[in-house]
Amino acid sequence: MRSWAFLIFLAGSLATAENKMVQVPAGTYTPFYPDKEAASGPVHVESFFMDVYPVTNDEYLQFVKHYPQWRKSKIKRALADPHYLKNWKRDLQFSDSKMTNSPITFVSWFSAKAYCESSGKTLPTVDQWEYAAYDNGRSEKELKERVLKWYSEPNPRNLPHVGSTEKNGFGIYDLQGLIWEWVYDFNSPTGGESGAFCGAGAGSAKDSRDYVSYMRFAFRSSLKGSYTTANLGFRCVKEVTK
Amino acid sequence: MLLGFPAYSHHHHRGQAEEVPKPVLGESIYNLNSSWKNQENQEMKLSAFRSQPVIMAMIYTSCRDVCPLTILDMQRIEKGLSEKARDKARFVVVSFDPEKDSPQKLAEYGKAHGLDFKKWTLLNGSAEAVRELAAILDVRYKKLKTSDFEHSNIITILDREGVIKYQQVGLSQDPKKSIDTVESQLH
């Protein structure tokens, strides 16, 4: 009897965890800022699991319940700036119940990374995120138009809940048009940062008309690890165990 | 794993009446709990440098380009310090390249540059530890397909609590501000 109960429990918890991730198959994409030294062709990305949705306020709440050092009142200033969880009323309470299933924002790279690690995941690398967002070029024109429109709009007072924007061909929602997302190697140099740099560096952008990507890369390169802001959240990835 | 606990929590488990050290300041980089190996293959935390002013930079030894200039820039700072400051200051060089820059490689590199290991420490850490440290120091870097690293050149001055006080950005800069910042830690 007990072993049945255990198996049902296990299946239930695995289903909850795995249902929220999708396996992105291995493939290639051409980076916006290709490596100048290597042949500037497509980059291969190994298969990985990616969160279907960005992390929500409610999910982050569960995290800080377990890990008090990441709470609003306890956070170390070196790991998050003074706006950390600004839109939460207190340590374990959002300021609005509508926020439950909307993406967590006002989180730093350090805190986002810690969240992912707490469930055996990591932040996506630039390559993983860009490859997932590129979506094998599906509906590329419509996607760019939609994101351009999103860029031009002011931040809504309450962010919509996750799953509000398009599901892409990989089955992933909200990669563009809901929030900006942290990546693991956000502090990787991109094009146009020569001067202070050792090493050959990146070449110029592959498509100078791709304003959407320009903005995204420019935004990322403006970030510091402790920064938090209104429309910056994250999701996690997990490697495929062989 | 960055689920760090405050530094003092480790001191309680033996049940001895040990003095509880002051907790690490919120702004300190010593809030990173990563483990590192120095050039003598000894495991250590960054907080081991607490109570000394620190001059810190990131390089990789197989860099044939400009990294040796970073060491020179740090040595310029060292030479410019008063005797008292030179006695207290610690120079920490962290490698971007955990694969190639083993503790032994770092020891060879240090010897080749004539570094005094009583004052200079070279560190090898996991790729994750390196990524975190670079993030907290605002250092940008990327491993290229050629196994070289593209990286910014920043020398960071930490106070005795590990808080960033000044950063010397770019190579061959005037070391005066860095020197003054270190000196001001010792009054």
Side-chain angles (χ1 to χ4, degrees):
Chain A
M1 270 285 276
R2 282 179 68 193
S3 54
W4 275 114
F6 173 74
L7 282 171
I8 289 164
F9 168 77
L10 189 64
S13 52
L14 280 174
T16 315
E18 294 308 312
N19 276 351
K20 289 186 184 147
M21 300 192 96
V22 74
Q23 182 165 2
V24 180
T28 60
Y29 87 105
T30 303
F32 187 64
Y33 286 107
D35 235 18
K36 201 160 69 179
E37 288 233 318
S40 59
V43 164
H44 175 80
V45 180
E46 292 290 336
S47 179
F48 61 99
F49 287 100
M50 181 175 252
D51 283 351
V52 169
Y53 304 107
V55 174
T56 63
N57 281 289
D58 191 57
E59 287 167 333
Y60 202 78
L61 176 62
Q62 306 317 313
F63 167 64
V64 298
K65 276 181 179 165
H66 276 104
Y67 299 102
Q69 68 270 36
W70 294 102
R71 292 180 194 175
K72 193 167 145 126
S73 67
K74 293 205 161 46
I75 190 73
K76 302 295 181 183
R77 189 53 66 230
L79 305 177
D81 70 20
H83 301 294
Y84 180 65
L85 297 180
K86 182 172 162 176
N87 58 353
W88 284 28
K89 209 167 195 163
R90 43 181 77 94
D91 279 358
L92 301 177
Q93 190 186 351
F94 326 133
S95 49
D96 192 323
S97 60
K98 287 198 210 89
M99 288 169 60
T100 306
N101 288 314
S102 62
I104 183 78
T105 55
F106 291 109
V107 283
S108 65
W109 178 79
F110 294 104
S111 56
K113 186 167 161 301
Y115 173 97
C116 290
E117 285 167 2
S118 73
S119 41
K121 304 180 185 182
T122 57
L123 285 171
T125 61
V126 170
D127 278 339
Q128 285 172 328
W129 195 97
E130 291 288 318
Y131 169 63
Y134 174 63
D135 196 22
N136 288 325
R138 274 177 276 239
S139 306
E140 196 171 1
K141 190 164 173 287
E142 292 88 341
L143 177 63
K144 289 221 192 295
E145 278 167 17
R146 189 163 56 76
V147 177
L148 270 174
K149 186 164 178 290
W150 175 59
Y151 284 177
S152 70
E153 288 161 357
N155 288 338
R157 185 189 165 81
N158 284 310
L159 282 171
H161 61 80
V162 299
S164 291
T165 70
E166 304 286 306
K167 177 168 80 164
N168 76 3
F170 293 130
I172 302 167
Y173 284 90
D174 307 329
L175 276 167
Q176 296 190 77
L178 185 58
I179 48 165
W180 301 99
E181 295 187 359
W182 280 111
V183 287
Y184 180 73
D185 46 344
F186 78 95
N187 57 344
S188 203
T190 53
E193 286 179 305
S194 57
F197 281 75
C198 181
S204 37
K206 76 172 180 193
D207 180 357
S208 56
R209 293 159 302 170
D210 185 356
Y211 179 72
V212 167
S213 295
Y214 258 132
M215 282 297 292
R216 187 170 66 252
F217 278 84
F219 177 72
R220 271 197 209 121
S221 67
S222 75
L223 295 170
K224 300 195 178 192
S226 60
Y227 275 10
T228 73
T229 190
N231 49 9
L232 174 60
F234 69 102
R235 73 181 72 215
C236 308
V237 297
K238 192 173 179 153
E239 65 173 353
V240 174
T241 46
K242 294 178 174 80
Chain B
M1 283 261 283
L2 185 63
L3 296 173
F5 289 92
Y8 56 79
S9 66
H10 294 287
H11 290 264
H12 288 274
H13 65 278
R14 287 207 202 100
Q16 291 169 11
E18 280 186 24
E19 197 192 303
V20 177
K22 210 173 73 168
V24 169
L25 288 181
E27 297 88 351
S28 171
I29 75 161
Y30 301 148
N31 283 296
L32 291 182
N33 203 30
S34 43
S35 289
W36 302 81
K37 287 210 174 111
N38 67 12
Q39 69 278 357
E40 269 133 66
N41 206 27
Q42 295 161 331
E43 198 165 299
M44 57 179 292
K45 305 273 184 191
L46 296 171
S47 54
F49 296 107
R50 208 175 160 188
S51 86
Q52 315 285 52
V54 169
I55 299 95
M56 182 180 279
M58 300 181 79
I59 56 109
Y60 64 109
T61 68
S62 59
C63 172
R64 286 143 300 170
D65 199 351
V66 293
C67 298
L69 290 176
T70 304
I71 303 289
L72 268 178
D73 281 345
M74 292 170 82
Q75 286 171 318
R76 253 187 222 118
I77 295 169
E78 190 181 28
K79 287 191 185 103
L81 294 173
S82 64
E83 205 179 307
K84 178 186 173 191
R86 210 178 304 135
D87 184 54
K88 294 276 183 236
R90 292 292 174 267
F91 293 80
V92 182
V93 180
V94 183
S95 170
F96 289 113
D97 194 353
E99 279 176 34
K100 292 213 184 109
D101 289 344
S102 61
Q104 186 179 346
K105 191 88 212 313
L106 292 174
E108 288 165 14
Y109 185 82
K111 282 191 196 103
H113 282 85
L115 304 180
D116 174 4
F117 293 142
K118 285 195 293 298
K119 304 281 173 60
W120 289 73
T121 304
L122 294 97
L123 294 179
N124 161 294
S126 68
E128 195 202 318
V130 171
R131 182 60 65 181
E132 266 182 9
L133 181 62
I136 216 167
L137 296 177
D138 291 337
V139 168
R140 310 189 76 80
Y141 76 100
K142 179 181 180 172
K143 186 171 184 178
L144 301 175
K145 283 176 188 156
T146 57
S147 294
D148 275 306
F149 286 80
E150 185 194 347
H151 64 91
S152 53
N153 293 295
I154 300 180
I155 297 172
T156 301
I157 312 298
L158 302 173
D159 72 9
R160 301 167 88 163
E161 286 294 332
V163 178
I164 297 173
K165 283 301 181 203
Y166 177 66
Q167 292 193 302
Q168 184 175 310
V169 179
L171 297 161
S172 307
Q173 301 296 309
D174 184 341
K176 185 177 190 311
K177 187 91 198 284
S178 297
I179 291 165
D180 289 346
T181 308
V182 176
E183 295 284 356
S184 69
Q185 302 311 312
L186 297 160
H187 293 134

